[in-house]
């Protein structure tokens, strides 16, 4: 097979890149050349980087935990502060930046990121709260269909939420929260195991609730396939996209997912505890037989302030909104989503495939038997994150990286999660990180 040097300007090539057809080169000069030719490198300038102890910009590979600050975030927050100061209550309907429809442009931008219609997406609450609201509506056990299927190493908050709904419905957790089995000595889930448990127990599963990208291993699950398998068996299918939104392209509408939730402070760079996203598929959006917790912000906006007794729902997911929107908290979300809107998920994904492929290549070149990448080695099965297990490693590795101004994430007992993001990371940063790791491990 003919291999090409990947220095082609990847923005022009809107086909998704195929990593197996590319070759990398283990030199700093190569990394610098990649950065020079990177059409997305300009976006680095849109962000404030944390400063290391020498006053230099850190190399920040922790966007899977908390994204860094867009430079425009401050301006958007100030705008709302000024409006509040100068217009007070009139701010709700100000000519510019009005608060009542404030979330509408955010819905528009967010729907492109997750592959949905704007009417299927809203920004409200935070992730775990949205998960509870969705479970209220979409975990509806009947007859012998009572179980919830999850992945084995489900994120704790998701587990607590699911367990509390089982409890609320009076089911014991042991028999009703069931896990996809994980093969011995395997970090990642196998397609066959997912299909098998849905085929075998689907008649008893009310809800399949999985992470689109696993927070620990970085493995992508095939949303379309799993949704299809679940629906064939009559199960409802929901996804937690905390590690997927802004990381990989998504097609929630076409994939037929019933509902999804995600936060905006990880890859979406909207600030600590920022307001989260939620998706309800169009096929359920106007179904008023679905039980939900209601509030006035789910009521028809045209006559919301008429203070009527009867609930006249907004169309689509907006009928799940409860309270008035926290505009100050939405302001940085706006700043962050505008950057995604300009860069576009397709171009970002292409750069991401290259950047993470390059990281994987350099780690392999180290030829160090102690290093084991637990993230899948196929580009279709991972986003930007690589989870690196270091045999006999301890947290001093992480501490030394931090000391050198390289911010990564440590998971006990011995895993480093590294997430080079295509928006604000570059190839030379990846090169520098691998050099630093090499020195530390020697
Ligand atoms: C980050 C994350 C959360 C966090 O939930 P919050 O309600 O935003 O605190 C939940 N689930 C998963 C899978 C996550 O990765």
């Amino acid at each position: 097979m003919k291999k090409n040097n990947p220095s082609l300007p990847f923005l022009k090539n809107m086909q998704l890149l195929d990593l197996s057809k590319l070759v990398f080169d283990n030199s700093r000069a190569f990394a610098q050349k990649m950065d020079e030719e990177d059409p997305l490198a300009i976006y680095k300038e849109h962000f404030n980087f944390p400063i290391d102890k020498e006053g230099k910009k850190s190399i920040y590979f922790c966007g899977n935990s908390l994204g860094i600050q867009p430079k425009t975030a401050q301006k958007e927050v100030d705008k709302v502060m000024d409006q509040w100061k100068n217009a007070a209550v009139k701010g709700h309907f100000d000519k510019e930046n009005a608060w009542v429809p404030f979330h509408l442009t955010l819905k528009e931008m967010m729907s492109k990121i997750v592959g949905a219609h704007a009417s299927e997406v809203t920004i409200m609450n935070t992730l775990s709260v949205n998960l509870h609201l969705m479970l209220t509506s979409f975990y509806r056990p009947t007859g012998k269909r009572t179980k919830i299927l999850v992945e084995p190493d489900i994120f704790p908050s998701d587990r607590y939420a699911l367990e509390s709904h089982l409890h609320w419905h009076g089911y014991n957790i042991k028999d009703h929260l069931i896990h996809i089995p994980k093969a011995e000595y395997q970090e990642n889930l196998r397609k066959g195991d997912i299909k098998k448990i849905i085929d075998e127990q689907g008649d008893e599963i009310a809800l399949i609730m999985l992470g689109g990208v696993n927070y620990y291993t970085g493995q992508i699950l095939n949303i379309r396939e799993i949704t299809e398998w679940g629906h064939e068996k009559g199960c409802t299918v929901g996804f937690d996209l905390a590690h997927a939104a802004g990381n990989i392209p998504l097609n929630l509408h076409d994939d037929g997912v019933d509902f999804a939730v995600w936060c905006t402070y990880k890859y979406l760079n909207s600030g600590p505890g920022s307001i989260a996203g939620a998706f309800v598929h169009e096929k359920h959006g106007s179904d008023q037989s679905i039980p939900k917790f209601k509030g006035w912000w789910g009521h028809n906006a045209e006559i919301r302030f008429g203070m009527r007794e009867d609930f006249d729902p907004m169309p689509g997911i907006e009928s799940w909104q409860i309270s008035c929107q926290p505009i100050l908290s939405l302001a940085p979300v706006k700043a962050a989503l505008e950057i995604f809107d300009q860069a576009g998920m397709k171009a970002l994904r292409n750069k991401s495939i290259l950047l993470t492929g390059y990281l994987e290549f350099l780690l392999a070149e180290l030829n160090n038997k102690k290093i084991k990448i637990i993230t899948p080695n196929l580009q279709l099965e991972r986003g930007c994150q690589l989870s690196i297990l270091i045999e006999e490693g301890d947290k001093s590795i992480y501490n030394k990286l931090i000391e050198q101004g390289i911010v990564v994430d440590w998971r006990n007992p011995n895993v480093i999660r590294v997430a080079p993001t295509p928006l604000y990371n570059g190839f030379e940063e990846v090169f520098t990180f691998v050099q630093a790791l090499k020195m530390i491990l020697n």
Side-chain angles (χ1 to χ4, degrees):
M1 181 169 45
K2 186 178 174 304
K3 293 209 173 194
N4 293 311
N5 196 288
S7 57
L8 52 136
F10 38 84
L11 199 73
K12 291 217 186 87
N13 180 358
M14 287 308 258
Q15 293 284 94
L16 275 191
L17 290 173
D18 182 352
L19 208 49
S20 67
K21 299 211 173 89
L22 304 173
V23 278
F24 295 112
D25 174 333
N26 182 6
S27 69
R28 189 176 287 274
F30 172 83
Q32 287 167 337
K33 180 162 159 285
M34 290 292 286
D35 283 338
E36 270 164 36
E37 294 179 4
D38 171 6
L40 298 180
I42 43 166
Y43 288 103
K44 212 178 171 55
E45 298 308 316
H46 289 55
F47 289 90
N48 291 314
F49 283 77
I51 299 299
D52 71 10
K53 66 180 198 304
E54 275 144 32
K56 281 202 328 271
K57 273 185 186 174
S58 301
I59 293 179
Y60 196 82
F61 289 147
C62 216
N64 55 352
S65 186
L66 182 73
I68 58 175
Q69 186 183 77
K71 286 182 179 166
T72 42
Q74 183 78 53
K75 194 185 81 196
E76 291 298 338
V77 174
D78 288 348
K79 222 194 267 179
V80 179
M81 288 297 283
D82 286 344
Q83 255 176 308
W84 178 24
K85 184 168 82 181
N86 299 321
V89 73
K90 287 187 292 182
H92 285 306
F93 300 102
D94 248 3
K95 269 212 287 303
E96 262 178 59
N97 221 39
W99 301 334
V100 169
F102 193 92
H103 64 296
L104 296 181
T105 48
L106 307 198
K107 275 162 66 86
E108 203 65 53
M109 293 189 283
M110 186 67 97
S111 62
K112 288 190 234 166
I113 293 173
V114 297
H117 299 160
S119 61
E120 295 171 314
V121 171
T122 198
I123 322 277
M124 60 180 184
N125 314 308
T126 41
L127 191 166
S128 302
V129 174
N130 285 340
L131 181 55
H132 276 294
L133 295 182
M134 292 296 125
L135 291 175
T136 301
S137 295
F138 293 105
Y139 174 57
R140 299 207 306 279
T142 48
K144 66 171 191 158
R145 194 185 284 285
T146 52
K147 295 178 180 172
I148 303 177
L149 177 67
V150 297
E151 67 257 51
D153 43 7
I154 180 174
F155 193 89
S157 192
D158 299 36
R159 171 183 297 281
Y160 308 147
L162 292 163
E163 287 185 358
S164 52
H165 282 261
L166 286 171
H167 188 88
W168 170 250
H169 283 278
Y171 296 118
N172 73 49
I173 288 152
K174 189 167 85 29
D175 298 330
H176 292 87
L177 191 66
I178 59 170
H179 298 86
I180 296 166
K182 195 141 98 177
E184 229 179 318
Y185 307 115
Q186 291 274 333
E187 292 291 345
N188 294 297
L189 298 179
R190 298 183 306 194
K191 209 184 219 192
D193 291 334
I194 304 175
K195 175 101 169 59
K196 186 156 174 274
I197 194 164
I198 295 173
D199 280 347
E200 286 176 359
Q201 300 194 43
D203 296 344
E204 297 177 3
I205 296 172
L207 172 66
I208 299 173
M209 181 73 224
L210 300 169
V213 173
N214 185 273
Y215 76 97
Y216 181 67
T217 62
Q219 180 183 21
I220 294 180
L221 295 184
N222 190 319
I223 292 178
R224 175 172 297 219
E225 262 176 11
I226 294 171
T227 304
E228 257 176 42
W229 297 337
H231 286 170
E232 272 165 24
K233 282 286 181 178
C235 318
T236 300
V237 185
F239 280 89
D240 182 328
L241 303 172
H243 281 261
N247 179 13
I248 58 169
L250 295 161
N251 297 294
L252 295 182
H253 177 84
D254 288 347
D255 290 351
V257 172
D258 293 296
F259 70 89
V261 291
W262 59 97
C263 55
T264 54
Y265 50 80
K266 291 171 181 164
Y267 293 109
L268 292 173
N269 309 314
S270 301
S274 55
I275 305 305
F279 164 90
V280 169
H281 198 280
E282 179 179 83
K283 64 192 166 195
H284 303 303
S286 301
D287 181 351
Q288 298 313 324
S289 71
I290 297 177
K292 65 176 68 131
F293 289 163
K294 295 172 186 167
W296 72 325
W297 237 247
H299 185 282
N300 180 354
E302 305 274 310
I303 47 172
R304 185 177 289 155
F305 297 103
M307 302 308 200
R308 294 146 45 114
E309 261 178 34
D310 51 326
F311 184 77
D312 174 6
M314 289 289 288
I317 193 176
E318 287 201 54
S319 64
W320 271 266
Q321 293 172 165
I322 296 179
S323 294
C324 66
Q325 291 278 19
I327 303 300
L328 273 171
S329 304
L330 284 180
V333 183
K334 180 171 173 217
L337 294 186
E338 278 169 350
I339 302 176
F340 273 89
D341 212 45
Q342 280 174 35
M345 275 312 291
K346 256 205 181 130
L348 286 168
R349 176 60 172 162
N350 265 341
K351 179 177 168 188
S352 179
I353 288 168
L354 281 181
L355 204 57
T356 297
Y358 183 53
L359 170 61
E360 183 184 40
F361 163 81
L362 291 178
L363 288 168
E365 291 279 295
L366 290 183
N367 208 4
N368 184 328
K369 296 243 161 9
K370 283 191 191 148
I371 293 181
K372 184 180 156 216
I373 299 173
I374 61 179
T375 306
N377 63 359
L378 296 173
Q379 71 179 50
L380 286 175
E381 294 180 10
R382 68 181 184 211
C384 74
Q385 169 184 325
L386 289 187
S387 304
I388 307 166
L389 187 146
I390 301 187
E391 260 152 40
E392 296 155 35
D394 60 44
K395 206 174 175 187
S396 67
I397 302 167
Y398 165 82
N399 292 336
K400 284 175 193 156
L401 286 167
I402 294 284
E403 201 142 288
Q404 295 177 43
I406 302 174
V407 185
V408 295
D409 176 88
W410 179 261
R411 294 278 138 168
N412 281 328
N414 55 354
V415 171
I416 301 177
R417 296 187 308 163
V418 187
T421 76
L423 255 188
Y424 53 75
N425 289 128
F427 294 84
E428 193 177 3
E429 290 181 317
V430 169
F431 185 87
T432 304
F433 160 71
V434 176
Q435 288 297 304
L437 187 64
K438 179 179 170 183
M439 300 292 275
I440 292 167
L441 293 181
N442 288 339

